[in-house]
Amino acid sequence: MSEPQSIHLSDYRPPAYRVTHTELTFDLDPSATRVRSRLHLQRHPDSESDASLDLDGEQLTLRRIAIDGQPLGEDEYEVSSSGLRVHRVPEAFLLDTEVEIAPSDNTALSGLYQSSGMYCTQCEAEGFRRITFYPDRPDVMATFATTVIGDRQREPVLLSNGNPVERGELPNDRHFVTWEDPHPKPCYLFALVAGDLKKVEDRFTTLSDREVDLQLWVEEENLDKTDHAMASLKRAMAWDEQTYGREYDLDLFMIVAVNDFNMGAMENKGLNIFNSAAVLTHPNTATDAAFQRVEGIVAHEYFHNWSGNRVTCRDWFQLSLKEGFTVFRDQCYSADTNSAPVKRIQDVSFFRTAQFAEDAGPTAHPVRPDHYIEITNFYTLTIYEKGAEIVRMLRNLLGWEDFRRGSDLYFERFDGQAVTIEDFVGCMAEVSGLDLDQFMRWYSQAGTPEIDASGEYAYATGEYRLVLRQRTPATSDQPEKQLLHIPVRMGLVGTKSGRDLSLTLDGHSLGKDTVLHLREEEQAFVFTDVAEAPVPSLLRGFSAPVKLRFPYAREDLAFLLQHDSDDFNRWDAGQRLAMLALDDLIAAHRNGVEKVMDSRVVEAFRGLLGKASDDKAVLAEMLTLPSEAYIAEQQPLVDVDAIHAARTFVKQSLAGVLRDEFLQLYEQNRLDAPYSPDPDQIASRSLKNVALSYLMAIEDETGTELAREQYGADHNMTDVRHALTLLTHSSRDDLADPALRAFAEKWAHDPLVMDQWFSIQVTRPQADVLERLKVLMEHRAFSLKNPNRVRALIGAFAGQNRVNFHRLDGEGYRVLADVVIELNRLNPEIAARLVAPLTRWQRFDEVRQERMKAELERIRAEQLSPNVYEVVEKALA
């Protein structure tokens, strides 16, 4: 095969022809669906091409083609593996084509495919070209009319975008429904669903008193799992009206749950298609985390109606324009709905573990990349989460009022258009008067910036001098880095009073919390009239996505953990304190010397356990140790065995010394009330289960009996799953195996619950897990063709069980490579995501490096899809 070629941002040109209106007719059949397309085309006024027409198309069999009603001869067009070229076309015309496709054979789940007998589509980013010949790019926006024809018995429900305008009966027990979407959209937002589905209905009244019908379509057995998603949708619609002034614009909003789906959900105009894992919840089957995840994803996809659909991206390099902004919006919504400090802690904890790793790896790229081979490889944490952090920085720089004014201007000025990141940031600059030219570098520069900070207090003058220095390490494609505009939110906490001190800078009174603007390589900020020696609280709320280094003493961190007014920075101080102890223990393990627990960490935890907390959910986060993945990111060379041993030692040490306190915490947070996913109950369950995890770390009789009792009570899936995980991850197979068998027997009929069963087993730390994984791959509930099953089993093992995946004999690597090779043929998008744990081979010891590289080279020797090729080539470069 020839090497796949890169696509470059610098090569962008407007489309040669625009589609003003699209008419589609689908005559559904599993192996021979006919798709008739009537495209109303006009030559783009800025087009530089000749009079030929090029349309994208893959795996299509052309049956008919005509222009303005006249069939074309074979010499007038050319079909290739990537599309259709019509050699000469007029300035404006109607192109009529009919193609045949095979949805049942589409294991890539891109385009039109079948899931459990149901027809559904996934067109973002470039799936529409698997449905019909079309200019498959986001800057071609058209109105759509879609007619869907199906078997009345097998497909009684026929759905597409917009509003239904006609339905009727056809011969041979078939029927049709015609849908019209009056809002111009790119083809990646097209959707179709057909199957035997049942609906849950509700209504929403907009601020302008317009009634919107809400429908949630599921398979009949899942009707009792829809209440939370529907309530979340209504809350999100109200929040977007109140916070951003954005009303919904159609008469009908639909969500469909699909079992086989590569992503979490898709914001298709008026017809959102969701992975069933992202929409179905019930107290008996879904955890608190799943309830919160569903609420966030429902909101995210709904918010896209404006930040993504009404205003979309000009090209896929601008992907973060819609995704970064919308992630920021859904994060704010979840913070307003639940605990804002906990939401920020959880988001940043994930971000610093996973996105920082992405920035430091071979696939590092800017938030707006300048080239790619396969766009689906760029649906990444950098595009989404780092993009959201950039929008958050904008909000912090402008203040909420100006940020809202900038958002309003953006939506009003560019409604119905496909635009760029410059257009979005330009609106913010226009309303605020700020110069954001330097800030724009955040979008074009890869890597994680670092801030080195130092501070000195002058007792004689009452001045505190804070020095900040910035640098961004080189990445593979950007050896030279430019200076960034970094907002650093901070305060000074008095060591005597334990309170925030008043801040005076350059004669200006700034209150007790301010944002410093770091624009130069090094800047000094001198605060005057500082009444007592302070400990600086820097980067409050994680005000910028950077790594911060400050020479905190352990006593300083313990002080901030107790006294900082910023909950995020209190949590961060605890994490830093724990990391210093863990670093010592990792070194001790490597050197073969006795491990000694840092008494300052023990006393810090004792203080947390002995102090009444206003927010139990925050306390639960503060009592949670850094993950093995996060610890690994802080090490120059990853020693998975030493990291696992050190973290286990800290947890067991804390549990041994503070056993009575954890037991009391567990008892104080037992709940007898009926389950509710409200913030107070979630906080109590979270705190109770953190306490139980410590008690089970020492596996004494009390902790073991509590875990068995909690599992047996079967009160809700949050408690059941947590107890089952602790039992399975313990050294007591006599406890784990009976519980696992009972769980599987009870939930064999529910694939989403069985996903939890798979993940619990392959994340256990025992050495037998790899053999267990191989057995589970043969389980009747597992299928490589289902992305949820793959993520639950293979993804969980490779991503969450570091000590066993990185087994020294390399067997974990071999198993993953075998799966990637097979998935490369079935579903390249999932294969490319799954290979990621192998790509950071350079972080490990020489033996593991060679074995990881060998598996990457074995993958490269296959006939690879562009998706997998791009990732593997970068990893081996």
Side-chain angles (χ1 to χ4, degrees), residues 366-393:
V367 173
R368 180 168 60 187
D370 57 12
H371 68 280
Y372 61 79
I373 291 176
E374 174 52 60
I375 184 56
T376 57
N377 287 342
F378 285 80
Y379 282 72
T380 60
L381 299 173
T382 299
I383 301 295
Y384 280 66
E385 270 70 21
K386 190 172 182 178
E389 293 300 323
I390 294 174
V391 176
R392 185 180 295 271
M393 285 191 289

PDB file of all heavy atoms in Angstrom, residues 366-393:
ATOM      1  N   PRO A 366      -1.312  20.461  18.548  1.00  0.00           N
ATOM      2  CA  PRO A 366      -1.973  21.666  19.069  1.00  0.00           C
ATOM      3  C   PRO A 366      -3.488  21.483  19.139  1.00  0.00           C
ATOM      4  O   PRO A 366      -4.050  20.557  18.540  1.00  0.00           O
ATOM      5  CB  PRO A 366      -1.605  22.753  18.045  1.00  0.00           C
ATOM      6  CG  PRO A 366      -0.508  22.184  17.225  1.00  0.00           C
ATOM      7  CD  PRO A 366      -0.681  20.701  17.249  1.00  0.00           C
ATOM      8  N   VAL A 367      -4.138  22.376  19.856  1.00  0.00           N
ATOM      9  CA  VAL A 367      -5.604  22.366  19.914  1.00  0.00           C
ATOM     10  C   VAL A 367      -6.177  22.585  18.518  1.00  0.00           C
ATOM     11  O   VAL A 367      -7.224  22.031  18.174  1.00  0.00           O
ATOM     12  CB  VAL A 367      -6.101  23.435  20.907  1.00  0.00           C
ATOM     13  CG1 VAL A 367      -7.611  23.574  20.855  1.00  0.00           C
ATOM     14  CG2 VAL A 367      -5.655  23.075  22.323  1.00  0.00           C
ATOM     15  N   ARG A 368      -5.496  23.383  17.706  1.00  0.00           N
ATOM     16  CA  ARG A 368      -5.811  23.425  16.281  1.00  0.00           C
ATOM     17  C   ARG A 368      -4.609  22.857  15.531  1.00  0.00           C
ATOM     18  O   ARG A 368      -3.634  23.564  15.281  1.00  0.00           O
ATOM     19  CB  ARG A 368      -6.131  24.834  15.786  1.00  0.00           C
ATOM     20  CG  ARG A 368      -6.448  24.800  14.276  1.00  0.00           C
ATOM     21  CD  ARG A 368      -7.048  26.082  13.760  1.00  0.00           C
ATOM     22  NE  ARG A 368      -6.186  27.218  13.952  1.00  0.00           N
ATOM     23  CZ  ARG A 368      -6.547  28.483  13.710  1.00  0.00           C
ATOM     24  NH1 ARG A 368      -7.757  28.739  13.260  1.00  0.00           N
ATOM     25  NH2 ARG A 368      -5.716  29.479  13.916  1.00  0.00           N
ATOM     26  N   PRO A 369      -4.666  21.576  15.165  1.00  0.00           N
ATOM     27  CA  PRO A 369      -3.527  20.986  14.445  1.00  0.00           C
ATOM     28  C   PRO A 369      -3.360  21.622  13.078  1.00  0.00           C
ATOM     29  O   PRO A 369      -4.301  22.202  12.526  1.00  0.00           O
ATOM     30  CB  PRO A 369      -3.916  19.508  14.338  1.00  0.00           C
ATOM     31  CG  PRO A 369      -5.390  19.460  14.521  1.00  0.00           C
ATOM     32  CD  PRO A 369      -5.768  20.632  15.369  1.00  0.00           C
ATOM     33  N   ASP A 370      -2.156  21.537  12.531  1.00  0.00           N
ATOM     34  CA  ASP A 370      -1.934  22.093  11.192  1.00  0.00           C
ATOM     35  C   ASP A 370      -1.909  21.027  10.111  1.00  0.00           C
ATOM     36  O   ASP A 370      -1.830  21.330   8.931  1.00  0.00           O
ATOM     37  CB  ASP A 370      -0.661  22.943  11.143  1.00  0.00           C
ATOM     38  CG  ASP A 370       0.581  22.178  11.578  1.00  0.00           C
ATOM     39  OD1 ASP A 370       0.508  20.933  11.692  1.00  0.00           O
ATOM     40  OD2 ASP A 370       1.612  22.815  11.824  1.00  0.00           O
ATOM     41  N   HIS A 371      -1.961  19.736  10.532  1.00  0.00           N
ATOM     42  CA  HIS A 371      -2.051  18.665   9.545  1.00  0.00           C
ATOM     43  C   HIS A 371      -2.564  17.402  10.228  1.00  0.00           C
ATOM     44  O   HIS A 371      -2.446  17.245  11.453  1.00  0.00           O
ATOM     45  CB  HIS A 371      -0.694  18.400   8.885  1.00  0.00           C
ATOM     46  CG  HIS A 371       0.323  17.824   9.809  1.00  0.00           C
ATOM     47  ND1 HIS A 371       1.046  18.587  10.693  1.00  0.00           N
ATOM     48  CD2 HIS A 371       0.744  16.538  10.002  1.00  0.00           C
ATOM     49  CE1 HIS A 371       1.855  17.820  11.386  1.00  0.00           C
ATOM     50  NE2 HIS A 371       1.693  16.562  10.992  1.00  0.00           N
ATOM     51  N   TYR A 372      -3.127  16.507   9.440  1.00  0.00           N
ATOM     52  CA  TYR A 372      -3.523  15.190   9.940  1.00  0.00           C
ATOM     53  C   TYR A 372      -3.612  14.235   8.753  1.00  0.00           C
ATOM     54  O   TYR A 372      -3.716  14.660   7.598  1.00  0.00           O
ATOM     55  CB  TYR A 372      -4.863  15.247  10.693  1.00  0.00           C
ATOM     56  CG  TYR A 372      -6.054  15.707   9.887  1.00  0.00           C
ATOM     57  CD1 TYR A 372      -6.710  14.844   9.007  1.00  0.00           C
ATOM     58  CD2 TYR A 372      -6.551  17.008  10.016  1.00  0.00           C
ATOM     59  CE1 TYR A 372      -7.815  15.270   8.270  1.00  0.00           C
ATOM     60  CE2 TYR A 372      -7.649  17.433   9.287  1.00  0.00           C
ATOM     61  CZ  TYR A 372      -8.276  16.562   8.411  1.00  0.00           C
ATOM     62  OH  TYR A 372      -9.361  16.983   7.684  1.00  0.00           O
ATOM     63  N   ILE A 373      -3.578  12.942   9.064  1.00  0.00           N
ATOM     64  CA  ILE A 373      -3.845  11.923   8.056  1.00  0.00           C
ATOM     65  C   ILE A 373      -5.289  11.464   8.161  1.00  0.00           C
ATOM     66  O   ILE A 373      -6.014  11.429   7.171  1.00  0.00           O
ATOM     67  CB  ILE A 373      -2.882  10.727   8.217  1.00  0.00           C
ATOM     68  CG1 ILE A 373      -1.451  11.154   7.838  1.00  0.00           C
ATOM     69  CG2 ILE A 373      -3.318   9.545   7.332  1.00  0.00           C
ATOM     70  CD1 ILE A 373      -0.413  10.069   8.065  1.00  0.00           C
ATOM     71  N   GLU A 374      -5.721  11.135   9.380  1.00  0.00           N
ATOM     72  CA  GLU A 374      -7.079  10.654   9.610  1.00  0.00           C
ATOM     73  C   GLU A 374      -7.711  11.500  10.701  1.00  0.00           C
ATOM     74  O   GLU A 374      -7.265  11.499  11.849  1.00  0.00           O
ATOM     75  CB  GLU A 374      -7.046   9.169  10.027  1.00  0.00           C
ATOM     76  CG  GLU A 374      -8.377   8.596  10.436  1.00  0.00           C
ATOM     77  CD  GLU A 374      -9.476   8.829   9.419  1.00  0.00           C
ATOM     78  OE1 GLU A 374      -9.326   8.362   8.269  1.00  0.00           O
ATOM     79  OE2 GLU A 374     -10.482   9.481   9.772  1.00  0.00           O
ATOM     80  N   ILE A 375      -8.770  12.232  10.369  1.00  0.00           N
ATOM     81  CA  ILE A 375      -9.337  13.195  11.306  1.00  0.00           C
ATOM     82  C   ILE A 375      -9.907  12.525  12.547  1.00  0.00           C
ATOM     83  O   ILE A 375      -9.892  13.097  13.645  1.00  0.00           O
ATOM     84  CB  ILE A 375     -10.404  14.087  10.614  1.00  0.00           C
ATOM     85  CG1 ILE A 375     -10.916  15.161  11.586  1.00  0.00           C
ATOM     86  CG2 ILE A 375     -11.542  13.265  10.067  1.00  0.00           C
ATOM     87  CD1 ILE A 375      -9.847  16.042  12.196  1.00  0.00           C
ATOM     88  N   THR A 376     -10.404  11.284  12.452  1.00  0.00           N
ATOM     89  CA  THR A 376     -10.964  10.654  13.645  1.00  0.00           C
ATOM     90  C   THR A 376      -9.911  10.424  14.723  1.00  0.00           C
ATOM     91  O   THR A 376     -10.251  10.251  15.895  1.00  0.00           O
ATOM     92  CB  THR A 376     -11.643   9.312  13.298  1.00  0.00           C
ATOM     93  OG1 THR A 376     -10.706   8.450  12.657  1.00  0.00           O
ATOM     94  CG2 THR A 376     -12.839   9.527  12.396  1.00  0.00           C
ATOM     95  N   ASN A 377      -8.624  10.448  14.356  1.00  0.00           N
ATOM     96  CA  ASN A 377      -7.562  10.343  15.360  1.00  0.00           C
ATOM     97  C   ASN A 377      -7.420  11.618  16.180  1.00  0.00           C
ATOM     98  O   ASN A 377      -6.671  11.640  17.165  1.00  0.00           O
ATOM     99  CB  ASN A 377      -6.220  10.033  14.694  1.00  0.00           C
ATOM    100  CG  ASN A 377      -6.133   8.597  14.200  1.00  0.00           C
ATOM    101  OD1 ASN A 377      -6.906   7.743  14.618  1.00  0.00           O
ATOM    102  ND2 ASN A 377      -5.198   8.344  13.305  1.00  0.00           N
ATOM    103  N   PHE A 378      -8.108  12.687  15.785  1.00  0.00           N
ATOM    104  CA  PHE A 378      -7.958  13.970  16.467  1.00  0.00           C
ATOM    105  C   PHE A 378      -9.180  14.325  17.317  1.00  0.00           C
ATOM    106  O   PHE A 378      -9.322  15.471  17.729  1.00  0.00           O
ATOM    107  CB  PHE A 378      -7.627  15.069  15.450  1.00  0.00           C
ATOM    108  CG  PHE A 378      -6.208  14.987  14.971  1.00  0.00           C
ATOM    109  CD1 PHE A 378      -5.846  14.080  13.991  1.00  0.00           C
ATOM    110  CD2 PHE A 378      -5.216  15.754  15.546  1.00  0.00           C
ATOM    111  CE1 PHE A 378      -4.538  13.956  13.570  1.00  0.00           C
ATOM    112  CE2 PHE A 378      -3.903  15.650  15.135  1.00  0.00           C
ATOM    113  CZ  PHE A 378      -3.557  14.748  14.144  1.00  0.00           C
ATOM    114  N   TYR A 379     -10.014  13.336  17.579  1.00  0.00           N
ATOM    115  CA  TYR A 379     -11.055  13.520  18.592  1.00  0.00           C
ATOM    116  C   TYR A 379     -10.419  13.157  19.929  1.00  0.00           C
ATOM    117  O   TYR A 379     -10.650  12.105  20.502  1.00  0.00           O
ATOM    118  CB  TYR A 379     -12.275  12.655  18.259  1.00  0.00           C
ATOM    119  CG  TYR A 379     -13.106  13.267  17.160  1.00  0.00           C
ATOM    120  CD1 TYR A 379     -12.654  13.276  15.846  1.00  0.00           C
ATOM    121  CD2 TYR A 379     -14.309  13.895  17.433  1.00  0.00           C
ATOM    122  CE1 TYR A 379     -13.383  13.876  14.829  1.00  0.00           C
ATOM    123  CE2 TYR A 379     -15.062  14.495  16.430  1.00  0.00           C
ATOM    124  CZ  TYR A 379     -14.585  14.486  15.132  1.00  0.00           C
ATOM    125  OH  TYR A 379     -15.315  15.090  14.145  1.00  0.00           O
ATOM    126  N   THR A 380      -9.600  14.084  20.411  1.00  0.00           N
ATOM    127  CA  THR A 380      -8.674  13.796  21.501  1.00  0.00           C
ATOM    128  C   THR A 380      -8.958  14.676  22.709  1.00  0.00           C
ATOM    129  O   THR A 380      -9.729  15.645  22.660  1.00  0.00           O
ATOM    130  CB  THR A 380      -7.236  14.069  21.040  1.00  0.00           C
ATOM    131  OG1 THR A 380      -7.144  15.460  20.671  1.00  0.00           O
ATOM    132  CG2 THR A 380      -6.843  13.202  19.852  1.00  0.00           C
ATOM    133  N   LEU A 381      -8.268  14.354  23.806  1.00  0.00           N
ATOM    134  CA  LEU A 381      -8.358  15.180  25.005  1.00  0.00           C
ATOM    135  C   LEU A 381      -7.810  16.577  24.742  1.00  0.00           C
ATOM    136  O   LEU A 381      -8.259  17.549  25.352  1.00  0.00           O
ATOM    137  CB  LEU A 381      -7.584  14.510  26.140  1.00  0.00           C
ATOM    138  CG  LEU A 381      -8.097  13.131  26.552  1.00  0.00           C
ATOM    139  CD1 LEU A 381      -7.153  12.495  27.560  1.00  0.00           C
ATOM    140  CD2 LEU A 381      -9.493  13.233  27.129  1.00  0.00           C
ATOM    141  N   THR A 382      -6.844  16.692  23.860  1.00  0.00           N
ATOM    142  CA  THR A 382      -6.299  18.015  23.531  1.00  0.00           C
ATOM    143  C   THR A 382      -7.374  18.875  22.869  1.00  0.00           C
ATOM    144  O   THR A 382      -7.567  20.041  23.244  1.00  0.00           O
ATOM    145  CB  THR A 382      -5.085  17.870  22.602  1.00  0.00           C
ATOM    146  OG1 THR A 382      -4.076  17.116  23.276  1.00  0.00           O
ATOM    147  CG2 THR A 382      -4.535  19.228  22.199  1.00  0.00           C
ATOM    148  N   ILE A 383      -8.079  18.320  21.893  1.00  0.00           N
ATOM    149  CA  ILE A 383      -9.116  19.072  21.187  1.00  0.00           C
ATOM    150  C   ILE A 383     -10.271  19.413  22.120  1.00  0.00           C
ATOM    151  O   ILE A 383     -10.757  20.547  22.142  1.00  0.00           O
ATOM    152  CB  ILE A 383      -9.637  18.264  19.983  1.00  0.00           C
ATOM    153  CG1 ILE A 383      -8.507  17.940  19.001  1.00  0.00           C
ATOM    154  CG2 ILE A 383     -10.784  19.000  19.297  1.00  0.00           C
ATOM    155  CD1 ILE A 383      -7.878  19.113  18.328  1.00  0.00           C
ATOM    156  N   TYR A 384     -10.695  18.442  22.906  1.00  0.00           N
ATOM    157  CA  TYR A 384     -11.873  18.624  23.760  1.00  0.00           C
ATOM    158  C   TYR A 384     -11.516  19.331  25.076  1.00  0.00           C
ATOM    159  O   TYR A 384     -11.946  20.467  25.324  1.00  0.00           O
ATOM    160  CB  TYR A 384     -12.497  17.261  24.073  1.00  0.00           C
ATOM    161  CG  TYR A 384     -13.367  16.698  22.970  1.00  0.00           C
ATOM    162  CD1 TYR A 384     -12.835  16.329  21.748  1.00  0.00           C
ATOM    163  CD2 TYR A 384     -14.732  16.507  23.163  1.00  0.00           C
ATOM    164  CE1 TYR A 384     -13.623  15.799  20.737  1.00  0.00           C
ATOM    165  CE2 TYR A 384     -15.542  15.974  22.167  1.00  0.00           C
ATOM    166  CZ  TYR A 384     -14.988  15.620  20.955  1.00  0.00           C
ATOM    167  OH  TYR A 384     -15.777  15.104  19.960  1.00  0.00           O
ATOM    168  N   GLU A 385     -10.762  18.625  25.931  1.00  0.00           N
ATOM    169  CA  GLU A 385     -10.537  19.147  27.283  1.00  0.00           C
ATOM    170  C   GLU A 385      -9.584  20.346  27.307  1.00  0.00           C
ATOM    171  O   GLU A 385      -9.834  21.320  28.013  1.00  0.00           O
ATOM    172  CB  GLU A 385     -10.025  18.025  28.185  1.00  0.00           C
ATOM    173  CG  GLU A 385     -11.112  17.257  28.894  1.00  0.00           C
ATOM    174  CD  GLU A 385     -11.940  16.383  27.970  1.00  0.00           C
ATOM    175  OE1 GLU A 385     -11.468  16.039  26.868  1.00  0.00           O
ATOM    176  OE2 GLU A 385     -13.068  16.036  28.345  1.00  0.00           O
ATOM    177  N   LYS A 386      -8.483  20.270  26.565  1.00  0.00           N
ATOM    178  CA  LYS A 386      -7.599  21.437  26.549  1.00  0.00           C
ATOM    179  C   LYS A 386      -8.289  22.600  25.843  1.00  0.00           C
ATOM    180  O   LYS A 386      -8.140  23.763  26.249  1.00  0.00           O
ATOM    181  CB  LYS A 386      -6.271  21.107  25.866  1.00  0.00           C
ATOM    182  CG  LYS A 386      -5.219  22.207  26.026  1.00  0.00           C
ATOM    183  CD  LYS A 386      -3.862  21.756  25.516  1.00  0.00           C
ATOM    184  CE  LYS A 386      -2.804  22.832  25.714  1.00  0.00           C
ATOM    185  NZ  LYS A 386      -1.461  22.379  25.250  1.00  0.00           N
ATOM    186  N   GLY A 387      -9.064  22.291  24.802  1.00  0.00           N
ATOM    187  CA  GLY A 387      -9.855  23.336  24.166  1.00  0.00           C
ATOM    188  C   GLY A 387     -10.799  24.003  25.141  1.00  0.00           C
ATOM    189  O   GLY A 387     -10.985  25.227  25.130  1.00  0.00           O
ATOM    190  N   ALA A 388     -11.406  23.209  26.032  1.00  0.00           N
ATOM    191  CA  ALA A 388     -12.306  23.772  27.044  1.00  0.00           C
ATOM    192  C   ALA A 388     -11.544  24.634  28.038  1.00  0.00           C
ATOM    193  O   ALA A 388     -12.038  25.679  28.491  1.00  0.00           O
ATOM    194  CB  ALA A 388     -13.034  22.643  27.773  1.00  0.00           C
ATOM    195  N   GLU A 389     -10.320  24.210  28.404  1.00  0.00           N
ATOM    196  CA  GLU A 389      -9.518  25.017  29.329  1.00  0.00           C
ATOM    197  C   GLU A 389      -9.149  26.359  28.707  1.00  0.00           C
ATOM    198  O   GLU A 389      -9.071  27.379  29.405  1.00  0.00           O
ATOM    199  CB  GLU A 389      -8.249  24.253  29.733  1.00  0.00           C
ATOM    200  CG  GLU A 389      -8.502  23.022  30.581  1.00  0.00           C
ATOM    201  CD  GLU A 389      -9.198  23.327  31.896  1.00  0.00           C
ATOM    202  OE1 GLU A 389      -8.898  24.378  32.500  1.00  0.00           O
ATOM    203  OE2 GLU A 389     -10.042  22.525  32.332  1.00  0.00           O
ATOM    204  N   ILE A 390      -8.931  26.388  27.403  1.00  0.00           N
ATOM    205  CA  ILE A 390      -8.638  27.661  26.738  1.00  0.00           C
ATOM    206  C   ILE A 390      -9.855  28.575  26.791  1.00  0.00           C
ATOM    207  O   ILE A 390      -9.740  29.783  27.058  1.00  0.00           O
ATOM    208  CB  ILE A 390      -8.184  27.413  25.285  1.00  0.00           C
ATOM    209  CG1 ILE A 390      -6.838  26.675  25.271  1.00  0.00           C
ATOM    210  CG2 ILE A 390      -8.073  28.728  24.516  1.00  0.00           C
ATOM    211  CD1 ILE A 390      -6.368  26.261  23.885  1.00  0.00           C
ATOM    212  N   VAL A 391     -11.034  28.017  26.550  1.00  0.00           N
ATOM    213  CA  VAL A 391     -12.255  28.831  26.648  1.00  0.00           C
ATOM    214  C   VAL A 391     -12.444  29.316  28.086  1.00  0.00           C
ATOM    215  O   VAL A 391     -12.844  30.459  28.320  1.00  0.00           O
ATOM    216  CB  VAL A 391     -13.473  28.024  26.167  1.00  0.00           C
ATOM    217  CG1 VAL A 391     -14.760  28.832  26.364  1.00  0.00           C
ATOM    218  CG2 VAL A 391     -13.324  27.640  24.696  1.00  0.00           C
ATOM    219  N   ARG A 392     -12.144  28.460  29.062  1.00  0.00           N
ATOM    220  CA  ARG A 392     -12.254  28.872  30.461  1.00  0.00           C
ATOM    221  C   ARG A 392     -11.307  30.037  30.757  1.00  0.00           C
ATOM    222  O   ARG A 392     -11.666  30.982  31.477  1.00  0.00           O
ATOM    223  CB  ARG A 392     -11.946  27.684  31.374  1.00  0.00           C
ATOM    224  CG  ARG A 392     -12.155  27.953  32.864  1.00  0.00           C
ATOM    225  CD  ARG A 392     -11.818  26.715  33.692  1.00  0.00           C
ATOM    226  NE  ARG A 392     -12.733  25.630  33.389  1.00  0.00           N
ATOM    227  CZ  ARG A 392     -13.883  25.429  34.018  1.00  0.00           C
ATOM    228  NH1 ARG A 392     -14.259  26.258  34.995  1.00  0.00           N
ATOM    229  NH2 ARG A 392     -14.661  24.423  33.693  1.00  0.00           N
ATOM    230  N   MET A 393     -10.077  29.979  30.205  1.00  0.00           N
ATOM    231  CA  MET A 393      -9.153  31.099  30.394  1.00  0.00           C
ATOM    232  C   MET A 393      -9.724  32.377  29.801  1.00  0.00           C
ATOM    233  O   MET A 393      -9.597  33.462  30.389  1.00  0.00           O
ATOM    234  CB  MET A 393      -7.796  30.773  29.766  1.00  0.00           C
ATOM    235  CG  MET A 393      -6.964  29.784  30.558  1.00  0.00           C
ATOM    236  SD  MET A 393      -5.256  29.669  29.967  1.00  0.00           S
ATOM    237  CE  MET A 393      -5.462  28.831  28.407  1.00  0.00           C
TER     238      MET A 393
END
